[in-house]
């Protein structure tokens, strides 16, 4: 289902217009049911909307951080090559003309494959390459995709170039030009499906992205784009789509279904609002959910105004699942109406990789594999992040040491250069490892899978105590005489690993027998209790500094310095410059878990 990109881009830039997409014209008889002979019963038409989300640069079933085939404890597979096989199976069963394929965002960030074509061999270069995700999604035949927050990580020029390279629209009804408050991207697309009786079915896809972009990618979007709430924009566009003749309205939302926000009250808009949209905005039939990286085969939310169920589905992440929304429509009184909607997910580990996709991108894959295997130094011993969530391990100290050294060098000679420098980091991956011997780009990059950059903020001792207390919410409260299972100590209240910070440069205990807010004990610096009024330079990533995770004080703290290079690259360059990584030079046990003063480990 193609559209004229040049015509669309011109219209979109000038008016924020949406996309009208014509459906296939071959007979969809397999999906239609004729009325019984002599009856005046309704005619029906069935079609299927397939959906992916949070692909995060995964084309191949490959982990570029380990340089081997992807695997996890559940034996999931990843990648668009496998999704392509599932899509073709569904099209063969249903009839291609009776299907649509959409995505809910976070497409161009997450793997070294996507990073390589944003930064190393960028798509924005003159006569630059076509992004592998655009190539793969074009070949598979996507009909529309919502914008995710990670689409903005590399800056708007990379996103616009990716948009230009896609043969389908990128949708974002709540991504507005900051000056005109008009849509900066197409808000929706309209698709026609040909039926053997009655008029064509008009399917509208409304794209909604995440308001958190204003915080998480502030440096890239401030003054250029603004991101109002999903509910507000859905309420604006759904009636418009219905008035335009849409028989079916589907929302593709890069927003989870929980109704919660990781950024607290820093924005007046909910981060995970898909369920609220279903509940509050009448006229929606189904919502493809993204952002939360969870698997929801089918979840029904009753709309308050109409009493009708809205069907939600979230197909996990990375191409591990494919959502199928199955629609049954009835032709009555000269119009199509939705009689039934159901949803389910297919597991991509049941499918072989489509050779059409792997062959298309084999050269790009080989280039990236060669890139990540470049040797940048050596390590005197092996380090692992496996115990990072519960113990102070050298591999996390490495991240923090590099950040602290970088900030010290940047502030040297300034009025802030004499203050002590502390640093924060998380266990971003429990499988990160630095081997003894040769260290490659993939080893160093595996420590930091996100495109975060580094900042320096000014904090007091009292603020740091608050920060650590907030971070310590991550642990499940455990009685002094209770059994300890390391696998069950962490992720309280579903707090992800990346929202648990350790602070390097301080010494402290975390008493997990105490309630939240009263867990940090023995907080000291250079062997002395931390003075609440003392000032410290805090090396912190831009996600945290801009409010990600809703940690206290940092977003409003004075910014002393900021860098535009990814922390991942900073680590790689540090290893190259040092030549040898020796944990003895930076690693120490500065924090530990305790219960009533007794170490847990």
């Amino acid at each position: 289902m193609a559209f004229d990109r040049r015509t669309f881009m011109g219209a979109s830039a000038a008016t924020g217009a949406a996309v009208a997409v014509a459906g296939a014209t071959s007979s969809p008889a397999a999906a239609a049911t004729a009325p019984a002979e002599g009856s005046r019963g309704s005619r029906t038409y069935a079609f299927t909307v397939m959906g992916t989300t949070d692909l995060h640069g995964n084309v191949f079933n490959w982990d570029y951080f380990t340089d081997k085939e992807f695997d996890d404890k559940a034996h999931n597979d990843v990648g668009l090559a496998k999704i392509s096989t599932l899509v073709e199976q569904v099209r063969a069963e249903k009839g291609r003309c009776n299907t649509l394929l959409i995505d809910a965002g976070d497409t161009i960030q997450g793997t070294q494959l996507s990073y390589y074509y944003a930064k190393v061999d960028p798509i924005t270069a003159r006569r630059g390459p076509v992004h592998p995700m655009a190539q793969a999604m074009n070949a598979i035949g996507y009909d529309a995709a919502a914008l995710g927050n990670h689409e903005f990580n590399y800056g708007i020029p990379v996103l616009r170039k990716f948009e230009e390279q896609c043969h389908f629209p990128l949708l974002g009804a709540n991504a507005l030009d900051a000056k005109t408050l008009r849509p900066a991207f197409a808000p929706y697309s309209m698709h026609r499906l040909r039926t053997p009786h009655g008029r064509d079915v008009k399917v509208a896809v409304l794209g909604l992205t995440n308001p958190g972009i204003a915080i998480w990618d502030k440096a890239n979007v401030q003054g250029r784009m603004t991101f109002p709430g999903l509910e507000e924009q859905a309420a604006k566009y759904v009636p418009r789509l219905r008035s335009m003749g849409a028989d079916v309205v589907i929302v593709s939302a890069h927003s989870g279904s929980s109704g919660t926000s990781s950024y607290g009250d820093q924005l007046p808009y909910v981060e995970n609002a898909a369920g609220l949209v279903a509940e509050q905005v009448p006229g929606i039939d189904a919502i493809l959910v993204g952002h939360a990286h969870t698997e929801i085969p089918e979840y029904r939310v009753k709309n308050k105004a109409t009493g009708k169920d809205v069907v939600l589905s979230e197909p996990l992440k990375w191409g591990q699942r494919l959502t199928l929304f199955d629609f049954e429509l009835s032709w009555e009184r000269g119009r199509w109406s939705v009689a039934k909607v159901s949803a389910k997910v297919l597991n991509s580990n049941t499918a072989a990789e489509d050779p059409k996709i792997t062959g298309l991108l084999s050269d790009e894959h080989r280039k990236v594999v060669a890139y990540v295997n470049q040797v940048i130094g050596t390590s005197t011993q092996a380090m692992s992040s496996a115990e990072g969530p519960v113990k102070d391990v050298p591999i996390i100290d490495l991240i923090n040491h590099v950040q602290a050294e970088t900030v010290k060098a940047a502030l040297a000679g300034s009025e802030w250069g004499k203050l002590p420098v502390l640093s924060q980091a998380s266990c971003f991956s429990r499988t990160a490892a630095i081997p003894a011997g040769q260290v490659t780009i993939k080893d160093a990059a595996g420590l930091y899978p996100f495109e975060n950059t580094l900042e320096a903020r000014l904090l007091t001792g009292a603020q740091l105590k608050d920060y650590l207390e907030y971070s310590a919410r991550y642990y499940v409260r455990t009685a002094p005489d209770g059994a300890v299972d390391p696998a069950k100590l962490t992720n309280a209240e579903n707090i992800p690993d990346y929202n648990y910070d350790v602070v390097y440069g301080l010494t402290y205990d975390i008493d997990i027998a105490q309630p939240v807010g009263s867990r940090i004990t023995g907080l000291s610096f250079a062997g002395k209790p931390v003075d609440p009024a003392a000032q410290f330079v805090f090396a912190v990533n831009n996600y945290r500094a801009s409010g990600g995770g809703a940690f206290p004080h940092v977003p409003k703290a004075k910014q002393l310095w900021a860098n535009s290079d990814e922390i991942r690259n900073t680590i790689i360059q540090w290893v190259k410059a040092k030549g040898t990584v020796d944990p003895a030079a930076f690693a120490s046990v500065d924090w530990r878990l305790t219960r009533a003063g007794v170490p847990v480990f």
Side-chain angles (χ1 to χ4, degrees), residues 2 30 53 157 183 316 333 335 352 355 373-374 418 486 500 508 511 523 577:
T53 192
L316 200 53
R333 298 172 186 166
R335 63 184 293 271
N373 279 290
Q374 291 179 47
K418 294 181 180 180
Y500 167 62
Y508 57 95
D511 190 336
L523 183 63

Side-chain angles (χ1 to χ4, degrees), residues 139-172:
I140 295 169
Y142 274 76
D143 294 290
L147 293 163
N149 54 285
H150 283 288
E151 260 65 84
F152 293 84
N153 285 174
Y154 298 118
I156 291 173
V158 169
L159 174 53
R160 287 299 190 192
K161 188 64 178 181
F162 175 71
E163 179 189 29
E164 179 185 320
Q165 293 176 342
C166 290
H167 298 167
F168 53 90
L170 300 185
L171 307 177

Side-chain angles (χ1 to χ4, degrees), residues 277-283 301-310:
V277 171
E279 182 181 78
Q280 297 176 15
V281 182
V301 175
K302 194 171 295 293
N303 183 267
K304 285 184 174 180
T306 66
K308 293 182 178 180
D309 281 354
V310 181

Side-chain angles (χ1 to χ4, degrees), residues 219-477:
N220 290 327
V221 301
Q222 188 174 35
R224 302 180 69 181
M225 292 186 191
T226 186
F227 302 88
L230 283 82
E231 308 97 306
E232 168 192 323
Q233 293 302 103
K236 173 181 177 180
Y237 279 100
V238 171
R240 183 181 303 180
L241 294 171
R242 290 295 185 181
S243 70
M244 292 168 61
D247 301 296
V248 179
V249 174
I250 300 166
V251 174
S252 183
H254 193 77
S255 179
S257 59
S258 66
T260 61
S261 298
S262 68
Y263 41 71
D265 60 359
Q266 293 178 84
L267 290 175
Y269 312 116
V270 177
E271 175 183 355
N272 296 300
L276 298 174
V277 171
E279 182 181 78
Q280 297 176 15
V281 182
I284 298 169
D285 297 297
I287 301 179
L288 177 65
V289 179
H291 184 61
H293 290 204
T294 57
E295 180 176 351
I296 305 174
E298 182 185 87
Y299 173 46
R300 292 178 177 268
V301 175
K302 194 171 295 293
N303 183 267
K304 285 184 174 180
T306 66
K308 293 182 178 180
D309 281 354
V310 181
V311 177
L312 283 68
S313 181
E314 183 174 4
L316 200 53
K317 64 183 186 298
W318 304 349
Q320 293 176 349
R321 303 289 186 271
L322 177 69
T323 280
L324 302 187
F325 290 107
D326 289 314
F327 290 84
E328 293 182 15
L329 274 60
S330 296
W331 177 255
E332 296 173 330
R333 298 172 186 166
R335 63 184 293 271
W336 289 108
S337 61
V338 175
K340 182 180 178 182
V341 187
S342 61
K344 63 182 179 181
V345 296
L346 303 181
N347 194 328
S348 66
N349 71 9
T350 65
E353 291 188 314
D354 185 343
K356 176 182 71 175
I357 303 303
T358 56
L360 177 69
L361 293 166
S362 59
D363 286 346
E364 287 83 349
H365 177 66
R366 281 194 293 267
K367 282 182 182 179
V368 175
V369 167
Y371 164 74
V372 301
N373 279 290
Q374 291 179 47
V375 175
I376 56 174
T378 59
S379 178
T380 60
Q381 66 183 67
M383 294 179 279
S384 168
S385 65
E387 294 185 310
V390 295
K391 293 182 181 179
D392 187 350
V393 295
I395 203 166
I396 307 299
D397 287 344
L398 173 60
I399 298 172
N400 272 319
H401 181 69
V402 171
Q403 291 181 164
E405 290 291 302
T406 302
V407 167
K408 285 177 185 176
L411 295 179
S414 73
E415 61 178 305
W416 311 109
K418 294 181 180 180
L419 290 179
V421 177
L422 310 176
S423 178
Q424 62 78 224
S426 306
C427 183
F428 297 108
S429 167
R430 297 192 183 199
T431 59
I434 297 289
Q438 291 187 335
V439 178
T440 63
I441 284 177
K442 73 175 187 291
D443 299 325
L447 302 183
Y448 222 109
F450 301 105
E451 267 63 55
N452 294 150
T453 58
L454 187 60
E455 297 190 16
R457 298 282 177 126
L458 186 65
L459 291 183
T460 66
Q463 290 174 328
L464 284 162
K465 174 72 158 45
D466 289 346
Y467 189 99
L468 286 169
E469 289 286 8
Y470 182 84
S471 184
R473 301 175 311 133
Y474 172 76
Y475 292 106
V476 175
R477 190 176 183 182

Side-chain angles (χ1 to χ4, degrees), residues 204-217:
V205 179
L206 177 67
L208 296 170
T209 192
N210 205 287
I213 295 166
I215 288 177
W216 305 322
D217 266 303

